[in-house]
Amino acid sequence: MEETELAAFCGELGEPPYRGRQLFAWIYGRGECAFERMTDLSKEFRRKLSERARVGFLAPARSEEAGDGTRKYAWELAGGARVESVKIPMPRAEGPARWAFCLSTQAGCAMGCAFCLTGRMGLVRDLSAGEIAEQFLAARRGLGPEERFHNIVFMGMGEPLENFGPSAAAARILSHPRAGGVSARRLTVSTVGVASRLAEFARAVPGVGLAVSLHAADDATRGRLVPVNRKWGLDALLRACRELPLPERRRVTFEYVLLQGVNDAPGDARRLAARLRGIRCKVNLLPWNPFPGAPFERPSPERVEAFRRELVRAGLTATVRQSKGLPIRAACGQLADDERLAGRARKAPAPVSARG
Ligand code: SF4
């Protein structure tokens, strides 16, 4: 529940609306699940709360850490659905650790991107706003006293804009000043290109960072990598990006997974730069993270750097995201529920060639 919903709920219990603020601060700011420990609430109010409500919480079903410090959590949700999220170390010369947190908005995903293991699961179900936010709150409970999450990304399992309401509500909760999460500008929601709802999401969560997955500079290649391109082609998607109500000095991030021989040639970079002309943006390049049975290869660091340089030469800001957590399959596009995968007929997509 968001703060306004908690205030309305308190009203139903005969309490003044400011009780909603207090509850919000306890549940999200302090991560408290037990009403009896919310000591600045009257005993009578706590009793009413215990009779009428319950604060849901997640405990990791499993968690594992890679040598680079990346930790992957697997959560078991009501009804047996499983999702994963990832705590990623941020480079820091000294001082207490700072982390990024990548969370899931759906169990599985219906979008079926060819290079993504989550897409092979299909969609199991949408997550509620509470289930999305709680992944972060549960991971935060495990931090040391000086450790902090520096940013949150909605880039785990699922397409946030296909689970619009709960994703937007969770983003508002986690960027609320009393939630102790991060500010909206440090929260990024990634979409594979649901063009029709991009601006609506930006309005629903003011100031939120938006990342749009492009992965190709032409519709033919993109259509083979990202099936949603058949519904919203590059023209429609980039038009939606141009029309985004971006706050001053904010840019859209374009994500581009680099697949050897498919979309990683210098010519692809030049076409991409031409497509992005006039959009306030930066490009984040992701050398593909492998998983068994996928018909792709990861390009060499030299090829990745050559692609990046082409973009920079064309006047774009372009960075390469370092893959973290590869050995524990915690990197981008590698999250999945193994049991669900094993239970589905493994339908490997047809190999994607460079030009179809
Ligand atoms: S890349 Fe994102 S949208 Fe595409 S299948 Fe994977 S989780 Fe879904």
Side-chain angles (χ1 to χ4, degrees):
M1 278 190 192
E2 296 187 58
E3 195 176 87
T4 47
E5 294 169 305
L6 284 170
F9 175 64
C10 290
E12 284 171 29
L13 297 181
E15 297 285 333
Y18 74 84
R19 291 288 189 209
R21 278 203 304 278
Q22 285 178 298
L23 264 184
F24 187 92
W26 273 109
I27 295 169
Y28 299 111
R30 301 199 204 183
E32 182 55 70
C33 306
F35 293 126
E36 67 268 19
R37 285 200 288 268
M38 300 181 182
T39 46
D40 60 354
L41 307 180
S42 72
K43 272 195 178 151
E44 175 58 12
F45 181 36
R46 282 184 270 163
R47 186 190 59 75
K48 282 193 267 184
L49 284 170
S50 305
E51 283 172 8
R52 290 280 304 273
R54 179 181 73 78
V55 182
F57 71 97
L58 291 175
R62 199 162 26 85
S63 120
E64 51 186 326
E65 188 171 306
D68 62 12
T70 302
R71 177 167 288 278
K72 180 168 80 167
Y73 304 86
W75 315 99
E76 183 137 350
L77 307 177
R82 293 199 194 94
V83 294
E84 294 184 329
S85 33
V86 185
K87 186 178 87 169
I88 306 150
M90 299 187 71
R92 204 150 195 248
E94 54 186 35
R98 292 289 176 267
W99 304 92
F101 192 70
C102 174
L103 54 72
S104 297
T105 53
Q106 296 179 307
C109 184
M111 307 310 273
C113 302
F115 50 82
C116 171
L117 190 57
T118 310
R120 295 198 174 186
M121 285 176 61
L123 178 65
V124 179
R125 74 164 170 86
D126 288 337
L127 269 55
S128 67
E131 287 169 331
I132 298 169
E134 177 59 17
Q135 293 166 57
F136 172 81
L137 301 178
R140 192 179 63 183
R141 284 183 204 114
L143 292 187
E146 299 291 314
E147 296 179 66
R148 295 280 178 277
F149 280 110
H150 187 267
N151 57 14
I152 301 174
V153 293
F154 286 29
M155 293 185 186
M157 291 179 174
E159 163 53 55
L161 271 55
E162 288 286 292
N163 185 21
F164 192 100
S167 296
R172 283 191 298 265
I173 288 170
L174 293 177
S175 59
H176 192 291
R178 271 186 283 279
V182 299
S183 64
R185 54 179 306 126
R186 290 207 189 138
L187 191 151
T188 302
V189 173
S190 175
T191 174
V192 74
V194 181
S196 62
R197 307 206 76 183
L198 208 49
E200 190 186 346
F201 199 91
R203 280 192 293 271
V205 192
V208 70
L210 287 170
V212 177
S213 298
L214 281 189
H215 309 320
D218 64 90
D219 280 314
T221 308
R222 190 165 189 271
R224 290 194 299 279
L225 298 175
V226 180
V228 75
N229 194 73
R230 292 171 209 147
K231 193 164 180 187
W232 293 289
L234 277 167
D235 284 346
L237 178 57
L238 293 177
R239 196 177 320 118
C241 293
R242 279 176 214 282
E243 290 167 2
L244 271 175
L246 283 180
E248 235 180 281
R249 296 206 301 274
R250 296 301 297 277
R251 296 185 278 184
V252 190
T253 301
F254 288 111
E255 309 277 0
Y256 193 103
V257 66
L258 284 162
L259 305 156
Q260 183 174 295
V262 175
N263 63 356
D264 67 338
D268 293 309
R270 288 191 288 275
R271 270 190 294 280
L272 178 64
R275 283 269 191 186
L276 301 185
R277 204 162 289 139
I279 304 181
R280 246 194 294 155
C281 68
K282 59 186 171 191
V283 180
N284 199 7
L285 301 171
L286 300 88
W288 179 66
N289 297 314
F291 55 86
F296 300 112
E297 281 180 47
R298 184 181 169 102
S300 68
E302 294 73 29
R303 209 162 156 85
V304 171
E305 180 53 21
F307 193 97
R308 191 191 72 83
R309 255 191 262 116
E310 280 295 339
L311 296 179
V312 172
R313 198 170 298 141
L316 287 164
T317 303
T319 51
V320 178
R321 187 186 305 165
Q322 301 306 319
S323 300
K324 297 265 176 71
L326 272 174
I328 57 168
R329 240 183 45 204
C332 242
Q334 293 188 311
L335 303 185
D337 171 0
D338 287 337
E339 276 180 39
R340 164 91 181 176
L341 280 178
R344 277 170 73 94
R346 278 187 178 259
K347 286 191 212 147
V352 178
S353 68
R355 296 282 166 251

